[in-house]
Coordinates of all heavy atoms in Angstrom, one line a residue:
M268 N 37.5 -41.4 58.5 CA 36.8 -42.7 58.5 C 37.8 -43.7 59.1 O 39.0 -43.8 58.7 CB 36.4 -43.1 57.1 CG 35.8 -44.4 56.9 SD 35.3 -44.6 55.2 CE 34.2 -45.9 55.4
S269 N 37.4 -44.5 60.0 CA 38.2 -45.4 60.7 C 38.2 -46.8 60.0 O 37.1 -47.2 59.5 CB 37.9 -45.6 62.1 OG 36.6 -46.1 62.3
H270 N 39.3 -47.4 59.9 CA 39.3 -48.8 59.3 C 39.2 -49.8 60.4 O 40.1 -49.9 61.2 CB 40.6 -48.9 58.5 CG 40.7 -48.0 57.3 ND1 39.9 -48.2 56.2 CD2 41.4 -46.9 57.0 CE1 40.2 -47.2 55.3 NE2 41.1 -46.5 55.8
C271 N 38.2 -50.6 60.3 CA 38.0 -51.6 61.3 C 38.2 -53.0 60.6 O 37.5 -53.3 59.7 CB 36.7 -51.5 61.9 SG 36.4 -52.8 63.2
F272 N 39.3 -53.7 61.0 CA 39.6 -54.9 60.3 C 38.8 -56.1 60.9 O 38.8 -57.1 60.3 CB 41.1 -55.2 60.4 CG 41.9 -54.2 59.6 CD1 42.6 -53.2 60.3 CD2 42.0 -54.2 58.3 CE1 43.3 -52.3 59.7 CE2 42.7 -53.3 57.6 CZ 43.4 -52.3 58.3
N273 N 38.2 -55.9 62.0 CA 37.4 -57.0 62.6 C 36.0 -57.0 62.1 O 35.2 -57.9 62.5 CB 37.5 -56.9 64.1 CG 38.8 -57.0 64.7 OD1 39.7 -57.6 64.0 ND2 39.0 -56.5 65.9
C274 N 35.5 -56.0 61.4 CA 34.1 -55.9 61.0 C 33.9 -56.8 59.7 O 34.6 -56.6 58.8 CB 33.7 -54.5 60.7 SG 33.8 -53.5 62.1
P275 N 32.8 -57.6 59.7 CA 32.5 -58.3 58.5 C 31.8 -57.3 57.5 O 31.3 -56.3 57.9 CB 31.6 -59.4 59.0 CG 31.0 -58.8 60.2 CD 32.0 -57.9 60.8
P276 N 31.8 -57.7 56.2 CA 31.1 -56.8 55.3 C 29.6 -56.7 55.6 O 29.0 -57.7 56.0 CB 31.4 -57.5 53.9 CG 32.0 -58.8 54.2 CD 32.4 -58.9 55.6
A277 N 29.1 -55.6 55.4 CA 27.7 -55.3 55.7 C 26.8 -55.9 54.6 O 27.2 -55.9 53.4 CB 27.4 -53.9 56.0
D278 N 25.6 -56.3 55.0 CA 24.7 -56.7 54.0 C 24.0 -55.5 53.4 O 23.7 -54.5 54.1 CB 23.6 -57.6 54.7 CG 24.2 -59.0 55.2 OD1 25.1 -59.4 54.5 OD2 23.6 -59.5 56.1
P279 N 23.7 -55.6 52.1 CA 23.1 -54.4 51.5 C 21.7 -54.3 52.0 O 21.0 -55.2 52.3 CB 23.1 -54.8 50.0 CG 23.3 -56.2 49.9 CD 24.0 -56.7 51.2
V280 N 21.2 -53.0 52.0 CA 19.9 -52.7 52.4 C 19.1 -52.3 51.1 O 19.6 -51.5 50.3 CB 19.9 -51.5 53.4 CG1 18.5 -51.1 53.7 CG2 20.7 -51.8 54.6
Y281 N 18.0 -52.9 50.9 CA 17.2 -52.7 49.7 C 15.9 -51.8 50.1 O 15.3 -52.2 51.1 CB 16.8 -54.0 49.1 CG 17.9 -54.8 48.5 CD1 18.5 -55.8 49.2 CD2 18.4 -54.4 47.2 CE1 19.6 -56.5 48.7 CE2 19.5 -55.1 46.7 CZ 20.1 -56.2 47.4 OH 21.1 -56.9 46.9
T282 N 15.6 -50.8 49.3 CA 14.4 -50.0 49.5 C 13.4 -50.4 48.5 O 13.7 -51.2 47.6 CB 14.8 -48.5 49.4 OG1 15.2 -48.3 48.1 CG2 15.8 -48.1 50.4
D283 N 12.2 -50.0 48.8 CA 11.1 -50.2 47.8 C 11.5 -49.5 46.5 O 12.0 -48.4 46.5 CB 9.8 -49.7 48.3 CG 9.3 -50.6 49.5 OD1 9.7 -51.7 49.6 OD2 8.4 -50.0 50.2
P284 N 11.2 -50.1 45.4 CA 11.5 -49.4 44.1 C 10.8 -48.1 43.9 O 9.6 -48.0 44.3 CB 11.2 -50.5 43.0 CG 10.2 -51.4 43.7 CD 10.5 -51.4 45.1
T285 N 11.4 -47.2 43.3 CA 10.8 -45.9 42.9 C 10.4 -46.1 41.5 O 11.2 -46.5 40.6 CB 11.8 -44.8 43.1 OG1 12.3 -44.8 44.5 CG2 11.2 -43.5 42.7
V286 N 9.2 -45.7 41.2 CA 8.7 -45.8 39.8 C 8.9 -44.5 39.1 O 8.5 -43.4 39.6 CB 7.2 -46.2 39.8 CG1 6.7 -46.2 38.3 CG2 7.0 -47.5 40.5
V287 N 9.6 -44.5 38.0 CA 9.8 -43.3 37.2 C 9.2 -43.6 35.8 O 9.4 -44.6 35.2 CB 11.4 -43.1 37.0 CG1 11.6 -41.9 36.0 CG2 12.0 -42.9 38.3
Y288 N 8.3 -42.7 35.4 CA 7.6 -42.8 34.2 C 8.3 -42.0 33.1 O 8.6 -40.8 33.3 CB 6.1 -42.4 34.3 CG 5.3 -43.3 35.2 CD1 5.1 -42.9 36.5 CD2 4.8 -44.5 34.7 CE1 4.3 -43.7 37.4 CE2 4.0 -45.3 35.6 CZ 3.8 -44.9 36.9 OH 3.1 -45.7 37.7
Q289 N 8.4 -42.6 31.9 CA 8.9 -41.8 30.8 C 7.7 -41.9 29.8 O 7.4 -43.0 29.3 CB 10.1 -42.5 30.2 CG 11.3 -42.3 31.0 CD 12.6 -42.9 30.3 OE1 12.5 -43.6 29.4 NE2 13.7 -42.5 30.9
D290 N 7.1 -40.7 29.6 CA 5.9 -40.7 28.7 C 6.4 -40.3 27.3 O 7.2 -39.4 27.1 CB 4.9 -39.6 29.2 CG 4.3 -40.0 30.5 OD1 4.2 -41.2 30.7 OD2 4.0 -39.1 31.3
Y291 N 5.8 -41.0 26.3 CA 6.1 -40.8 24.9 C 4.7 -40.5 24.3 O 3.8 -41.2 24.5 CB 6.7 -42.0 24.2 CG 8.1 -42.3 24.8 CD1 8.3 -43.2 25.8 CD2 9.2 -41.7 24.2 CE1 9.5 -43.5 26.3 CE2 10.5 -42.0 24.7 CZ 10.6 -42.9 25.8 OH 11.9 -43.2 26.3
Y292 N 4.7 -39.4 23.5 CA 3.4 -39.0 22.9 C 3.6 -39.0 21.4 O 4.6 -38.7 20.8 CB 3.1 -37.5 23.3 CG 2.9 -37.4 24.8 CD1 3.9 -36.9 25.6 CD2 1.6 -37.6 25.3 CE1 3.7 -36.8 27.0 CE2 1.4 -37.5 26.7 CZ 2.4 -37.1 27.5 OH 2.2 -37.0 28.9
Y293 N 2.5 -39.5 20.8 CA 2.5 -39.7 19.3 C 1.2 -38.9 18.8 O 0.1 -39.1 19.4 CB 2.4 -41.1 18.9 CG 3.6 -41.9 19.4 CD1 3.5 -42.7 20.6 CD2 4.8 -41.8 18.7 CE1 4.6 -43.3 21.0 CE2 5.9 -42.5 19.2 CZ 5.8 -43.3 20.4 OH 6.9 -44.0 20.8
P294 N 1.4 -38.1 17.7 CA 0.2 -37.4 17.2 C -0.8 -38.3 16.6 O -0.5 -39.3 15.9 CB 0.8 -36.4 16.2 CG 2.1 -37.1 15.8 CD 2.6 -37.9 17.0
Q295 N -2.0 -38.1 17.0 CA -3.1 -38.8 16.4 C -4.1 -37.8 15.8 O -4.6 -36.9 16.5 CB -3.9 -39.6 17.5 CG -5.0 -40.4 17.0 CD -5.8 -41.1 18.1 OE1 -5.7 -40.7 19.3 NE2 -6.6 -42.1 17.7
V296 N -4.3 -37.9 14.5 CA -5.1 -36.9 13.7 C -6.6 -37.2 14.0 O -7.0 -38.3 13.9 CB -4.8 -37.0 12.2 CG1 -5.7 -36.0 11.5 CG2 -3.4 -36.7 12.0
V297 N -7.2 -36.2 14.5 CA -8.7 -36.3 14.8 C -9.4 -35.2 13.9 O -9.2 -34.0 14.1 CB -9.0 -36.0 16.3 CG1 -10.5 -36.0 16.5 CG2 -8.3 -36.9 17.2
P298 N -10.1 -35.6 12.9 CA -10.8 -34.7 12.0 C -11.9 -33.9 12.8 O -12.7 -34.5 13.4 CB -11.4 -35.5 10.9 CG -11.0 -36.9 11.2 CD -10.4 -37.0 12.5
I299 N -11.8 -32.6 12.6 CA -12.9 -31.8 13.2 C -13.5 -31.0 12.0 O -12.9 -30.3 11.3 CB -12.3 -30.7 14.2 CG1 -11.7 -31.5 15.3 CG2 -13.4 -29.8 14.6 CD1 -11.0 -30.6 16.3
V300 N -14.8 -31.3 11.7 CA -15.5 -30.8 10.5 C -16.2 -29.5 10.9 O -17.1 -29.5 11.8 CB -16.4 -31.8 10.0 CG1 -17.2 -31.3 8.7 CG2 -15.7 -33.1 9.6
H301 N -15.9 -28.4 10.2 CA -16.6 -27.1 10.4 C -17.5 -26.9 9.2 O -16.9 -26.8 8.1 CB -15.6 -26.0 10.6 CG -14.7 -26.1 11.8 ND1 -15.1 -25.8 13.0 CD2 -13.5 -26.6 11.9 CE1 -14.1 -26.0 13.9 NE2 -13.1 -26.5 13.2
T302 N -18.7 -26.8 9.3 CA -19.6 -26.5 8.2 C -19.7 -25.0 8.0 O -20.0 -24.3 9.0 CB -21.0 -27.1 8.5 OG1 -20.9 -28.5 8.7 CG2 -22.0 -26.8 7.3
V303 N -19.5 -24.6 6.8 CA -19.6 -23.2 6.5 C -20.7 -23.0 5.4 O -20.6 -23.6 4.4 CB -18.2 -22.6 5.9 CG1 -18.4 -21.2 5.5 CG2 -17.1 -22.8 7.0
E304 N -21.7 -22.2 5.7 CA -22.7 -22.0 4.8 C -22.5 -20.6 4.1 O -22.3 -19.6 4.8 CB -24.1 -21.9 5.5 CG -25.2 -21.6 4.6 CD -26.6 -21.6 5.4 OE1 -26.5 -21.6 6.6 OE2 -27.6 -21.4 4.7
I305 N -22.4 -20.6 2.8 CA -22.2 -19.4 2.0 C -23.5 -19.0 1.4 O -24.2 -19.8 0.7 CB -21.2 -19.7 0.9 CG1 -19.8 -20.1 1.5 CG2 -21.0 -18.4 0.0 CD1 -18.8 -20.5 0.5
V306 N -23.9 -17.8 1.7 CA -25.2 -17.2 1.2 C -24.8 -16.1 0.2 O -24.2 -15.1 0.6 CB -26.1 -16.7 2.3 CG1 -27.3 -16.0 1.8 CG2 -26.4 -17.8 3.3
K307 N -25.2 -16.3 -1.0 CA -24.9 -15.3 -2.1 C -26.1 -14.3 -2.1 O -27.2 -14.8 -2.5 CB -24.7 -15.9 -3.4 CG -23.4 -16.7 -3.5 CD -23.2 -17.3 -4.9 CE -21.9 -18.0 -5.0 NZ -21.7 -18.4 -6.4
R308 N -25.9 -13.1 -1.7 CA -27.0 -12.1 -1.7 C -26.8 -11.1 -2.9 O -25.7 -10.6 -3.1 CB -27.1 -11.4 -0.4 CG -27.2 -12.3 0.7 CD -27.4 -11.7 2.1 NE -26.7 -10.5 2.3 CZ -26.9 -9.8 3.4 NH1 -27.7 -10.2 4.3 NH2 -26.3 -8.7 3.6
H309 N -27.8 -10.9 -3.6 CA -27.8 -10.0 -4.8 C -28.6 -8.8 -4.5 O -29.7 -8.8 -4.1 CB -28.3 -10.8 -6.0 CG -27.6 -12.0 -6.3 ND1 -26.5 -12.0 -7.1 CD2 -27.8 -13.3 -5.9 CE1 -26.1 -13.3 -7.2 NE2 -26.8 -14.1 -6.5
H310 N -28.0 -7.6 -4.8 CA -28.6 -6.3 -4.5 C -28.6 -5.5 -5.7 O -27.6 -5.4 -6.4 CB -27.8 -5.6 -3.4 CG -27.7 -6.4 -2.1 ND1 -28.7 -6.4 -1.2 CD2 -26.7 -7.2 -1.6 CE1 -28.3 -7.2 -0.2 NE2 -27.1 -7.7 -0.4
C311 N -29.7 -4.8 -6.0 CA -29.7 -3.8 -7.0 C -29.3 -2.4 -6.5 O -29.9 -2.0 -5.5 CB -31.1 -3.7 -7.6 SG -31.6 -5.2 -8.5
V312 N -28.3 -1.8 -7.1 CA -27.9 -0.5 -6.6 C -28.0 0.5 -7.7 O -27.5 0.3 -8.8 CB -26.4 -0.6 -6.2 CG1 -25.9 0.7 -5.7 CG2 -26.2 -1.7 -5.1
P313 N -28.8 1.6 -7.5 CA -28.9 2.6 -8.6 C -27.6 3.3 -8.8 O -27.0 3.9 -7.9 CB -30.0 3.5 -8.1 CG -30.1 3.3 -6.6 CD -29.5 1.9 -6.3
V314 N -27.2 3.4 -10.1 CA -26.0 4.1 -10.5 C -26.4 5.1 -11.6 O -27.0 4.6 -12.6 CB -24.9 3.1 -11.0 CG1 -23.7 3.9 -11.5 CG2 -24.5 2.1 -10.0
P315 N -26.2 6.4 -11.4 CA -26.6 7.3 -12.4 C -25.8 7.2 -13.7 O -24.6 7.0 -13.7 CB -26.4 8.7 -11.8 CG -25.5 8.4 -10.6 CD -25.6 7.0 -10.2
K316 N -26.6 7.2 -14.8 CA -25.9 7.2 -16.1 C -26.6 8.3 -16.9 O -27.8 8.4 -17.1 CB -26.2 5.9 -16.9 CG -25.6 5.8 -18.2 CD -26.0 4.6 -19.0 CE -25.5 4.6 -20.4 NZ -25.9 3.5 -21.2
H317 N -25.7 9.3 -17.3 CA -26.2 10.5 -17.9 C -26.4 10.3 -19.4 O -25.4 9.8 -20.1 CB -25.3 11.7 -17.7 CG -25.2 12.0 -16.2 ND1 -26.1 12.7 -15.5 CD2 -24.2 11.7 -15.3 CE1 -25.8 12.8 -14.3 NE2 -24.6 12.2 -14.1
C318 N -27.5 10.5 -19.9 CA -27.8 10.4 -21.4 C -28.2 11.8 -21.9 O -28.9 12.5 -21.2 CB -28.9 9.4 -21.6 SG -28.6 7.7 -21.0
Y319 N -27.8 12.1 -23.1 CA -28.1 13.4 -23.7 C -28.9 13.2 -24.9 O -28.6 12.3 -25.8 CB -26.8 14.1 -24.0 CG -26.0 14.4 -22.7 CD1 -25.0 13.5 -22.3 CD2 -26.3 15.5 -21.9 CE1 -24.3 13.8 -21.2 CE2 -25.6 15.7 -20.8 CZ -24.5 14.9 -20.4 OH -23.8 15.1 -19.3
N320 N -29.9 14.0 -25.1 CA -30.8 14.0 -26.3 C -30.5 15.3 -27.0 O -30.7 16.4 -26.5 CB -32.2 13.9 -25.9 CG -33.1 13.7 -27.1 OD1 -32.7 13.3 -28.1 ND2 -34.4 14.1 -26.9
Y321 N -30.1 15.2 -28.3 CA -29.7 16.3 -29.1 C -30.8 16.6 -30.1 O -31.3 15.7 -30.7 CB -28.4 16.1 -29.8 CG -27.2 16.0 -28.9 CD1 -26.8 14.7 -28.6 CD2 -26.6 17.1 -28.4 CE1 -25.7 14.6 -27.7 CE2 -25.5 17.0 -27.5 CZ -25.1 15.7 -27.2 OH -24.0 15.6 -26.3
V322 N -31.2 17.9 -30.2 CA -32.2 18.3 -31.2 C -31.5 19.3 -32.1 O -31.0 20.3 -31.6 CB -33.4 19.0 -30.5 CG1 -34.4 19.5 -31.5 CG2 -34.1 18.0 -29.5
V323 N -31.5 19.0 -33.4 CA -30.8 19.9 -34.3 C -31.9 20.6 -35.2 O -32.8 19.9 -35.6 CB -29.8 19.1 -35.2 CG1 -29.2 20.0 -36.3 CG2 -28.8 18.4 -34.4
R324 N -31.8 21.9 -35.3 CA -32.8 22.6 -36.0 C -32.1 23.6 -37.0 O -31.1 24.2 -36.7 CB -33.6 23.4 -35.0 CG -34.7 24.2 -35.7 CD -35.5 24.9 -34.6 NE -34.7 26.0 -34.0 CZ -35.0 26.6 -32.8 NH1 -36.0 26.2 -32.2 NH2 -34.2 27.5 -32.3
D325 N -32.5 23.6 -38.2 CA -32.0 24.5 -39.3 C -32.9 25.7 -39.4 O -34.1 25.6 -39.3 CB -31.9 23.8 -40.6 CG -30.8 22.8 -40.7 OD1 -29.8 23.0 -40.0 OD2 -30.9 21.8 -41.4
E326 N -32.3 26.9 -39.4 CA -33.1 28.1 -39.6 C -32.5 28.8 -40.9 O -31.3 28.9 -41.1 CB -32.9 29.1 -38.4 CG -33.6 28.6 -37.2 CD -33.5 29.6 -36.1 OE1 -32.8 30.7 -36.3 OE2 -34.1 29.4 -35.0
N327 N -33.4 29.2 -41.7 CA -33.0 30.0 -42.9 C -33.5 31.4 -42.7 O -34.7 31.7 -42.5 CB -33.7 29.4 -44.1 CG -33.1 28.1 -44.5 OD1 -31.9 27.9 -44.3 ND2 -33.9 27.2 -45.0
I328 N -32.6 32.3 -42.6 CA -32.9 33.7 -42.4 C -32.6 34.5 -43.7 O -31.4 34.5 -44.1 CB -32.1 34.3 -41.2 CG1 -32.4 33.5 -39.9 CG2 -32.4 35.8 -41.1 CD1 -31.5 33.9 -38.8
V329 N -33.6 35.0 -44.3 CA -33.4 35.7 -45.5 C -33.0 37.1 -45.3 O -33.6 37.8 -44.4 CB -34.8 35.6 -46.3 CG1 -34.7 36.3 -47.7 CG2 -35.2 34.2 -46.5
G330 N -32.1 37.6 -46.1 CA -31.7 39.0 -46.0 C -30.6 39.3 -45.0 O -30.3 40.4 -44.7
T331 N -30.0 38.3 -44.3 CA -29.0 38.6 -43.3 C -27.7 39.1 -44.0 O -27.1 40.1 -43.5 CB -28.6 37.3 -42.6 OG1 -29.8 36.7 -42.1 CG2 -27.7 37.5 -41.4
V332 N -27.3 38.6 -45.1 CA -26.1 39.0 -45.7 C -26.2 40.4 -46.2 O -25.3 41.2 -46.0 CB -25.7 38.0 -46.9 CG1 -24.5 38.5 -47.6 CG2 -25.5 36.6 -46.4
S333 N -27.3 40.8 -46.9 CA -27.4 42.2 -47.4 C -27.5 43.2 -46.2 O -27.0 44.3 -46.4 CB -28.6 42.2 -48.3 OG -29.8 41.9 -47.5
A334 N -28.1 42.8 -45.2 CA -28.2 43.7 -44.0 C -26.8 44.0 -43.4 O -26.5 45.1 -43.0 CB -29.2 43.2 -43.0
Y335 N -26.0 42.9 -43.4 CA -24.6 43.1 -42.9 C -23.8 44.0 -43.8 O -23.1 44.9 -43.3 CB -24.0 41.7 -42.7 CG -22.6 41.7 -42.3 CD1 -22.3 42.0 -41.0 CD2 -21.5 41.4 -43.1 CE1 -21.0 42.1 -40.5 CE2 -20.2 41.5 -42.7 CZ -20.0 41.8 -41.4 OH -18.7 41.8 -41.0
R336 N -23.9 43.8 -45.1 CA -23.1 44.6 -46.0 C -23.6 46.1 -45.9 O -22.8 47.0 -46.0 CB -23.3 44.1 -47.4 CG -22.5 42.9 -47.7 CD -22.6 42.5 -49.1 NE -22.0 41.2 -49.3 CZ -22.2 40.5 -50.4 NH1 -23.0 40.8 -51.3 NH2 -21.5 39.3 -50.5
G337 N -24.8 46.3 -45.8 CA -25.3 47.7 -45.7 C -24.8 48.4 -44.5 O -24.5 49.6 -44.5
S338 N -24.7 47.7 -43.4 CA -24.2 48.4 -42.1 C -22.8 48.7 -42.2 O -22.3 49.7 -41.7 CB -24.5 47.5 -40.9 OG -23.7 46.3 -41.1
K339 N -21.9 47.9 -43.0 CA -20.5 48.3 -43.2 C -20.4 49.6 -44.0 O -19.6 50.4 -43.7 CB -19.8 47.2 -43.9 CG -19.3 46.1 -43.0 CD -18.4 45.2 -43.8 CE -17.6 44.3 -42.8 NZ -16.7 43.4 -43.6
R340 N -21.2 49.7 -45.0 CA -21.2 50.9 -45.9 C -21.6 52.1 -45.1 O -21.0 53.2 -45.2 CB -22.1 50.7 -47.1 CG -21.6 49.7 -48.1 CD -22.5 49.6 -49.3 NE -22.1 48.5 -50.1 CZ -22.8 47.9 -51.0 NH1 -24.1 48.2 -51.1 NH2 -22.3 47.0 -51.7
A341 N -22.5 51.9 -44.2 CA -23.0 53.1 -43.5 C -21.9 53.5 -42.5 O -21.7 54.7 -42.3 CB -24.2 52.7 -42.7
A342 N -21.1 52.6 -42.0 CA -20.1 52.9 -41.0 C -18.9 53.6 -41.8 O -18.3 54.5 -41.2 CB -19.6 51.6 -40.4
R343 N -18.6 53.2 -43.0 CA -17.6 53.8 -43.7 C -17.9 55.3 -44.1 O -17.1 56.2 -44.0 CB -17.3 53.0 -45.0 CG -16.6 51.7 -44.8 CD -16.3 51.1 -46.1 NE -15.8 49.7 -45.9 CZ -15.8 48.8 -46.8 NH1 -16.3 49.0 -48.0 NH2 -15.3 47.6 -46.5
K344 N -19.1 55.5 -44.4 CA -19.5 56.8 -44.8 C -19.4 57.8 -43.6 O -19.0 58.9 -43.7 CB -21.0 56.8 -45.3 CG -21.1 56.3 -46.7 CD -22.5 56.3 -47.2 CE -22.6 55.6 -48.5 NZ -24.0 55.6 -49.0
S345 N -19.8 57.2 -42.4 CA -19.8 58.1 -41.2 C -18.3 58.4 -40.8 O -18.0 59.5 -40.4 CB -20.5 57.5 -40.1 OG -19.9 56.2 -39.7
R346 N -17.4 57.5 -41.1 CA -16.0 57.8 -40.7 C -15.4 58.8 -41.7 O -14.7 59.7 -41.3 CB -15.2 56.5 -40.9 CG -15.3 55.6 -39.7 CD -14.4 54.4 -39.9 NE -14.8 53.3 -39.1 CZ -14.5 52.0 -39.3 NH1 -13.7 51.7 -40.4 NH2 -14.9 51.1 -38.6
A347 N -15.8 58.7 -42.9 CA -15.3 59.7 -43.9 C -15.7 61.1 -43.6 O -15.0 62.1 -43.7 CB -15.8 59.3 -45.3
K348 N -16.9 61.3 -43.1 CA -17.4 62.6 -42.7 C -16.7 63.1 -41.5 O -16.4 64.3 -41.4 CB -18.9 62.5 -42.5 CG -19.8 62.3 -43.7 CD -21.2 62.2 -43.3 CE -22.1 62.0 -44.6 NZ -23.5 61.9 -44.2
R349 N -16.3 62.3 -40.6 CA -15.6 62.8 -39.4 C -14.2 63.3 -39.8 O -13.7 64.2 -39.1 CB -15.4 61.6 -38.4 CG -16.7 61.2 -37.8 CD -16.4 60.2 -36.7 NE -17.7 59.5 -36.4 CZ -17.8 58.3 -35.8 NH1 -16.7 57.6 -35.5 NH2 -18.9 57.8 -35.5
T350 N -13.5 62.6 -40.6 CA -12.1 63.1 -40.9 C -12.0 64.4 -41.7 O -11.0 65.0 -41.6 CB -11.4 62.0 -41.7 OG1 -12.1 61.7 -42.9 CG2 -11.2 60.7 -40.9
R351 N -13.0 64.8 -42.3 CA -13.0 66.1 -43.1 C -13.1 67.3 -42.2 O -13.3 67.8 -41.4 CB -14.1 66.1 -44.1 CG -13.8 65.1 -45.2 CD -14.8 65.3 -46.3 NE -14.7 64.3 -47.3 CZ -15.4 64.2 -48.3 NH1 -16.5 64.9 -48.4 NH2 -15.2 63.3 -49.2

């Protein structure tokens, strides 16, 4: 750069201003309403339940004890005959 001592100071040159925007955002709550319809539906569902009916019957058999004793005696006699 050359130094010129005879030059007067230059006048400044001005340009058109440049606009710079600085945006600031702030939250604004906006309510949004959603309608929800709840439908309660009732259903009958068959479920098996087992029930038992008991019938009790008494029987009287006459002569069962004597018939049982007689068959034991007969078996003993037949065994005795075999061993001889």
